[in-house]
Each structure stands twice: as C-alpha cells, then as structure tokens.
Amino acid sequence: MSRQDDKPLAAGGKLFVVATPIGNLDDLSPRARATLAQADLIAAEDTRHSAALLRHHGIATRTLALHEHNEREASADLVRRMQGGANIALISDAGTPLVSDPGYRLVRAARAAGIPVSPIPGACAAIAALSAAGLPSDRFAFEGFLPAKSAARRAALQVLRADPRTLIFYESSHRIVESLADLAAEFGGEREAVVARELTKQFETVLDGTLAGLAQRVAGDADQQRGEFVVLVKGAGDDDDAAKLIEGLRVYRILSAELPPSRAAKLAAEITGAPRKALYSAQGPREA
Ligand code: SAM
C-alpha cells in the first residue's frame, strides 16, 4: 500500500478538502487533525460551529468563513492566497464538504487556477447510512435534500420512481414525516426503505421496513422525529417489475374479454403500471 508523505503540507499552495465528524467528535482522522493543525488557514462553513471541534482536538489554526452566501468572493481571495503559497483546509459544519455543503465553487476555482486539491476523506452521512442499511449498495444514487414543498417533492419523486438504484436522501426533523408520507405515496407503501437517524450520536437509530410502515412508525413517535436523518429507499427492482407484469396480465385478461386487445392492454398498463407492449405481447392462451 502506498502512503502519502507524512508532511503533506510541506510544499505549500494547496487546498485540502477535509471531512469532519457527523456527530461523534472522535471520528476526526489523525491525518485530518494533522492537516487542520498544520494549515495556514481553515475555510469553514461556520467558524463558530467548527470552533468546538477544533478546540476539542487542540487545533489553533486561524479560521475564515466560507458559506453559500460568500463563496464566490471568498473563493477568489482564497485562490490568491494559495497562489501566494498558503495551504488552506476546507471544512463544513459536518461530514464531507461539497456533499450538500459549500465548497464546490472553491474547489472548481482552485483547480482552474492549477492549484493542487487533495481530499482528506472521512465521515459522510450518506455513506455511513448506506453502510449500515442492508439495502443493495452496488449501485446507488445520492439525491441530497428533496424539495421543501410537497407538490415539488412529489414531482421530484415521480422522476425517481422507476430508478433501479438504491436512493439516498437527506432530510431534516421539520419534514421527515411529510417526506416519508410522500415517498410511500409515490413509490408505493410496500417499497423497502431505511431511516437512519442521528448516526454516531447518542440517539442513533436505524429503522428498516416498508415505506408505509416507516412513515407510520415515525409519524407516531415524536422521538423518532428528532435530529438528523438519512432516508434510503430500495430501487425499483426486478421484483417490482415482475409483480407489476403478473398483475398487469391478470387485469389484461379480464378486460380483453370485453374490449379489443389494444384497448385492454392500454387500460391494464394504466391501472397496474406494467408496460403496455409487454402485456400485449406476453398474453398467454386465453381461457375458453
Ligand atoms: N456534508 C455532510 C455529509 O457529508 O454527510 C452533509 C451536510 S447536510 C447540510 C446535513 C444533512 O446530512 C442533515 O440534514 C442530515 O440529513 C444528514 N446528516 C448529517 N449528519 C447526520 C447524522 N449524524 N445522522 C443522520 N443524518 C445526518
């Protein structure tokens, strides 16, 4: 296994994208700690929020705010500093910067200016949740936060309904109940899902079940509505498709006794969600 230099900051003029804990302060890696301690400056989403982490680890490096409202101007200033030889560490309030957090503009500006950008990997709520969820993890899609308003949220979910990958969403305590209800309505209550709450913290809970069951469980328990959430939903799998086709064929056979085959296939597809062409061509021998 190759190993990077133990003094990664010696050369100067670099940007380090440093992951910080998502709850448990001891989840800061030794390399992240060393990078933050040795950097000339830490660009932090919220300097007051990060002060607790830095104090906990005895890091005295100067901090500067880089958040969504000042990222454009602050990035230009930081790039100039790195061009002058400064090593800068980028952190967000929790987890990996750029993942539903600021930093994209700075990283892009640094790369455009030819400044080396190096990740110092660590916690990320989406990946931590996926690792414990027990849902298919070979392919997954990170969707970040769903829209806040229900109509927009449902429209966004409709686009994802047939996605075969495990879907990962971030959600806040204000919206977890409504979002789970919308997920159940759009994906079907029987779809398998996991709600990962307060990971690495005192009240960590990882609930699994169907979307309908989880929506009911969380809505009925105020404790399960507190804190930070990752919601993971199993992709629309072969099982679902096969079940739809079976149901589609059943409905098609009933309708085709009364209607022309093309009309029966169209209606059966609309009722069950099975593909119309598959119904039309997969029809078995009809009952006499
Ligand atoms: N950059 C972070 C990361 O790498 O995960 C995410 C930042 S985003 C602004 C914050 C959201 O991440 C929360 O609203 C929640 O959905 C999720 N999150 C962060 N920490 C979490 C935790 N300890 N348990 C569950 N979800 C968490």
Side-chain angles (χ1 to χ4, degrees):
M1 189 171 70
S2 72
R3 188 186 150 106
Q4 276 203 339
D5 196 335
D6 280 342
K7 291 186 189 130
L9 277 64
K14 270 190 172 186
L15 176 63
F16 294 87
V17 184
V18 182
T20 58
I22 56 168
N24 188 324
L25 294 185
D26 290 336
D27 286 340
L28 188 77
S29 77
R31 201 159 82 93
R33 193 200 162 282
T35 304
L36 293 173
Q38 292 170 35
D40 297 303
L41 183 67
I42 297 173
E45 182 180 4
D46 179 339
T47 52
R48 276 196 301 184
H49 177 96
S50 293
L53 172 78
L54 300 177
R55 215 174 20 249
H56 179 84
H57 288 282
I59 297 164
T61 309
R62 204 156 53 86
T63 57
L64 175 149
L66 179 113
H67 42 70
E68 58 175 319
H69 304 296
N70 77 342
E71 190 171 350
R72 209 177 288 272
E73 312 84 74
S75 294
D77 171 47
L78 292 170
V79 165
R80 272 192 297 277
R81 292 181 195 233
M82 289 186 281
Q83 284 170 328
N87 284 311
I88 293 181
L90 168 69
I91 59 175
S92 60
D93 285 355
T96 302
L98 280 80
V99 179
S100 292
D101 266 343
Y104 165 73
R105 288 200 178 88
L106 175 61
V107 168
R108 211 166 158 78
R111 295 191 68 83
I115 293 163
V117 181
S118 187
I120 310 290
C124 173
I127 300 299
L130 182 69
S131 73
L135 292 175
S137 54
D138 48 345
R139 293 179 70 218
F140 58 89
F142 174 64
E143 287 293 323
F145 288 95
L146 282 164
K149 298 225 165 79
S150 185
R153 187 161 56 227
R154 289 187 70 152
L157 291 175
Q158 278 159 21
V159 174
L160 297 168
R161 187 164 34 199
D163 196 312
R165 299 168 295 180
T166 293
L167 299 172
I168 306 178
F169 303 96
Y170 280 167
E171 197 46 275
S172 73
S173 54
H174 312 298
R175 284 193 280 275
I176 185 67
V177 170
E178 297 162 32
S179 284
L180 286 172
D182 283 348
L183 278 160
E186 291 299 337
F187 290 180
E190 287 309 304
R191 185 87 74 96
E192 224 184 293
V194 167
V195 176
R197 183 177 79 95
E198 292 289 88
L199 295 173
T200 77
K201 303 187 211 177
Q202 188 183 0
F203 296 108
E204 176 181 286
T205 336
V206 181
L207 301 175
D208 59 44
T210 62
L211 276 171
L214 288 167
Q216 197 179 20
R217 168 86 204 271
V218 173
D221 182 346
D223 286 341
Q224 291 302 324
Q225 298 166 26
R226 291 188 226 283
E228 301 189 281
F229 299 83
V230 183
V231 178
L232 306 96
V233 184
K234 189 166 182 274
D238 296 343
D239 295 352
D240 290 0
D241 291 346
K244 270 187 202 158
L245 189 59
I246 289 167
E247 179 63 1
L249 281 171
R250 191 183 72 78
V251 173
Y252 173 79
R253 286 200 185 109
I254 295 167
L255 294 177
S256 61
E258 306 288 333
L259 297 168
S262 62
R263 180 97 186 110
K266 184 169 182 290
L267 285 176
E270 274 176 22
I271 293 165
T272 62
R276 186 182 58 80
K277 276 190 184 157
L279 293 181
Y280 197 68
S281 54
Q283 52 182 300
R286 298 213 196 153
E287 284 168 20

